[in-house]
Amino acid sequence: MLRPAFRRLVPLAVLLALAVPAAAAERKSLVVLDAEVEGDLSDVSRRGDWDARAALLTRTLKDGLNADGLYRVLDDAAAADLLARLRARREVHACEACLVEVAERLGAERVLSAWVFRMSALILTLHVEIRDGKSGDVLIRKILDFRGDNDTAWLRAANYFVRWLREDAPDLR
């Protein structure tokens, strides 16, 4: 037999258990494509650094958007073959048909593409677009200038985008 104090908590616990899945279901599904790097890539010896930073940026965006409850970030493993084929070409983010194809394959309502443009080792720009998964229409476009071609600066830009989307642009999601 439950004590009176616990009896009052049972309905609350049931409501919370029902509310969490409902809230998750309301979030739009999103596939986050691997971030790309463009611009001044003349120092080929640094390509490994940029690829590692792009992977870190992608992981940061996925984790931040999912953890903040902004989107339900989908696992892209079911489209690994398609994504590998698309990565063979440059500027996947500029191919609207490619983004729609990925969304269709994964059943995503939204697709996020991100790329960093390197003006120089000091001046960089993070471009982020979120498109509708069916039409390919751009729903959100954000460009963030940042300074410093290092992990800290790249992560700061990615985290700023997530914070901006959560705090300043909730009606855009």
Side-chain angles (χ1 to χ4, degrees), residues 3 10 37-38 49 76 100 130-131 136 138 140 153-154 165:
R3 296 164 86 186
V10 170
V37 185
E38 299 179 345
D49 293 339
D76 59 9
V100 170
I130 297 178
R131 292 176 177 259
V138 175
I140 296 171
W154 286 50
L165 192 58

Side-chain angles (χ1 to χ4, degrees), residues 96 100 110-111 129-141:
E96 183 179 310
V100 170
R110 305 279 187 264
V111 180
E129 289 183 350
I130 297 178
R131 292 176 177 259
D132 181 80
K134 292 197 184 318
S135 68
D137 292 343
V138 175
L139 303 172
I140 296 171
R141 178 176 287 141

